[in-house]
Every structure is written in structure tokens, then in C-alpha cells.
Amino acid sequence: PTNAIQPLRLLLIGCPGSGKGTQSGRLEKNFGVSHLSSGDLLRRNITENTLLGQQARQYVADGKLVPDNLLISLIDKELLHVGNTNWLLDGFPRTVNQALALDASLNRIMQPLNLVINLQVPEDIILQRIMDRWIHIPSGRVYNLSYNPPRVAGVDDITGEPLSQRPDDTPEVFKVRLEQHHAMALPLLDHYQNVVVNVRGNTSDEIYPQIEKEIVNRLGALPGAHLTHT
Ligand code: ATP
Ligand code: MG
């Protein structure tokens, strides 16, 4: 068919605390996009003490990058399950090596990326944001005590389960994560220079409409889109 609507294959890039998880949650809710977050997957593996969790635990605690081979096989496995749905990647790839591996996997399943969004948030406001951050580990849902607090303090809105603060959301570990990010960001953005779109703002509320506009402009309405936006 000539008017076939392309499924969304989105990659979100941005420094730690730039709101990748928050934006992903909104896209999931408003467009039914499957959210693949390397950080969420690692934290779940660490909580469940799987072999991968044991291998990754110390790197994550220190704010260091987990070795490429572990991440590449983790995401490959996830991509087998997404099928022909709309999906977005958050936190992967983080290195050019990972990006090359992803390109190869996506070629194999014939689902090339069609949008890469780079979130740009001023660094001076990010530390406060992550200090105010609480997460629900099983789902990856993110709350912020100033911007979007849970309805009941310390409790996930949907499941009623307890929220936690990430052990790597301390000023010390955050500094390491930011340094890691800076070392990796330019080569990665360079790899995607032909498809990357920059969006900028101080809050996720400022940035979200820009992402939505980009998606609609480039891909038209999404199949299965939930049209009641929040
Ligand atoms: P935020 O969630 O605030 O955007 P972030 O991007 O630093 O911050 P996550 O993406 O949740 O956080 O990642 C947490 C940790 O998991 C990283 O510090 C790193 O140790 C590990 N990690 C996640 N994704 C990767 C990856 N693609 N390659 C290597 N390590 C990763
Ligand atoms: Mg995240």
C-alpha cells in the first residue's frame, strides 16, 4: 500500500537525568510504544540477582559502563520479543561499538531506526532533578518530588508497591556518570548525524510536545495510537 504508516523505531539519547525514562513513559502511554530501557533491564536483573545482574552490579553502582558484550546480547534478546510493534530504545546504544552491533541486529530483523532524538537539558539543573527522583523498579516508572510526585509519598501510583531511590543517584556517582556520558556522547551523535533531531528544554513538560511533533511530522499518525493525550 502506498500510504503504509511506518512503525516507530525511535532512539532516545541524552545525558543522565535528561528525562529519557519520563519521556518514554509518556510515549508508551500516549502511543502504545514498547519501551526498551537498558538501565531498567539492568536494575531488574540486579534486583532479581540473575547472572547478568551479578556481572553488572558493580559497574552500575560505580556509574561505570557495563561491558559492551553484556549489553549487546541483552538488547538482542529483547528485540526478539518486540516483533513488529512501535518501539523505542532508551539508554542503548551508549558506545559506537554498541551502535554498530545494533545496526547489524536491526538490519537482520529489517527494522531500521527511523528517528533519533537527542534530549538537551542544562546540566546545572540536572543534579537537583536526580536527587528528587524516585523509581518503581519492576516497571521503571519515574517520579520526581518537584515535577511529578506520586499520589502517595513513597508508593507507585499504579501498583501501590514501594518506590526507591537509585543508589547511583548520589552526587559522587552522578559525577562519574556524567563524565562517562561526555566521553561517549560525541562519537555516538556523530554515528547518527544523519537522523538525529535535537530537542531542548528545562523540564520534561517543555520537551515532550517537541518529541510528539517530530514523530507526527516524520511518520504520520502512529498505528495503534491512543489518541487521548495527557
Ligand atoms: P537516566 O536514567 O537518568 O537517564 P542514566 O542514563 O545514567 O540516567 P541508566 O540508563 O538507567 O541511567 O543506566 C544506569 C547504569 O546502567 C549506567 O550508569 C551503566 O552502569 C549501566 N548502563 C545502562 N545502559 C548501558 C549501556 N548501554 N552500556 C553500558 N552500561 C549501561
Ligand atoms: Mg533512564
Side-chain angles (χ1 to χ4, degrees):
T2 44
N3 289 329
I5 294 168
Q6 274 185 64
L8 181 66
R9 315 288 186 216
L10 169 66
L11 170 57
L12 281 184
I13 302 182
C15 74
S18 57
K20 299 184 292 287
T22 300
Q23 303 296 357
S24 298
R26 292 182 188 186
L27 292 169
E28 215 174 355
K29 187 164 163 205
N30 292 334
F31 293 102
V33 174
S34 306
H35 174 208
L36 302 181
S37 158
S38 55
D40 290 354
L41 289 165
L42 289 171
R43 277 184 287 280
R44 242 171 279 153
N45 275 276
I46 291 169
T47 305
E48 292 165 12
N49 201 31
T50 64
L51 178 60
L52 171 65
Q54 293 168 20
Q55 291 166 317
R57 184 187 305 274
Q58 198 59 49
Y59 294 101
V60 174
D62 293 342
K64 305 259 171 67
L65 289 181
V66 175
D68 283 342
N69 61 324
L70 296 180
L71 263 296
I72 290 167
S73 58
L74 173 69
I75 299 296
D76 257 357
K77 239 177 276 157
E78 289 299 311
L79 286 172
L80 289 179
H81 299 304
V82 292
N84 202 34
T85 55
N86 300 308
W87 51 252
L88 78 85
L89 284 171
D90 153 11
F92 180 94
R94 268 232 201 355
T95 65
V96 170
N97 255 342
Q98 293 177 13
L100 292 169
L102 178 67
D103 290 345
S105 304
L106 295 182
N107 275 337
R108 204 157 48 233
I109 61 174
M110 295 185 294
Q111 298 186 0
L113 289 174
N114 45 29
L115 186 56
V116 177
I117 290 186
N118 180 35
L119 305 180
Q120 300 184 310
V121 179
E123 262 169 38
D124 51 351
I125 67 169
I126 283 181
L127 180 61
Q128 190 55 50
R129 279 169 54 158
I130 68 149
M131 300 301 287
D132 283 349
R133 170 159 73 179
W134 288 74
I135 60 164
H136 177 242
I137 291 180
S139 67
R141 266 185 291 282
V142 189
Y143 297 89
N144 182 285
L145 297 187
S146 326
Y147 297 103
N148 67 324
R151 279 197 287 268
V152 178
V155 173
D156 179 46
D157 286 353
I158 312 270
T159 63
E161 291 167 353
L163 301 177
S164 31
Q165 286 199 283
R166 283 171 46 174
D168 58 344
D169 276 349
T170 62
E172 299 74 28
V173 181
F174 184 71
K175 187 164 169 276
V176 178
R177 287 162 55 202
L178 211 50
E179 282 162 6
Q180 289 276 4
H181 172 78
H182 285 142
M184 295 299 153
L186 281 184
L188 193 63
L189 288 172
D190 205 48
H191 181 82
Y192 291 116
Q193 58 180 319
N194 296 325
V195 268
V196 75
V197 175
N198 295 307
V199 296
R200 210 178 300 249
N202 285 348
T203 66
S204 293
D205 285 348
E206 282 172 39
I207 290 182
Y208 181 73
Q210 302 177 50
I211 298 180
E212 230 188 53
K213 202 172 101 205
E214 237 6 274
I215 292 176
V216 171
N217 283 350
R218 299 221 163 191
L219 308 174
L222 283 165
H226 301 235
L227 291 173
T228 42
H229 291 198
T230 51

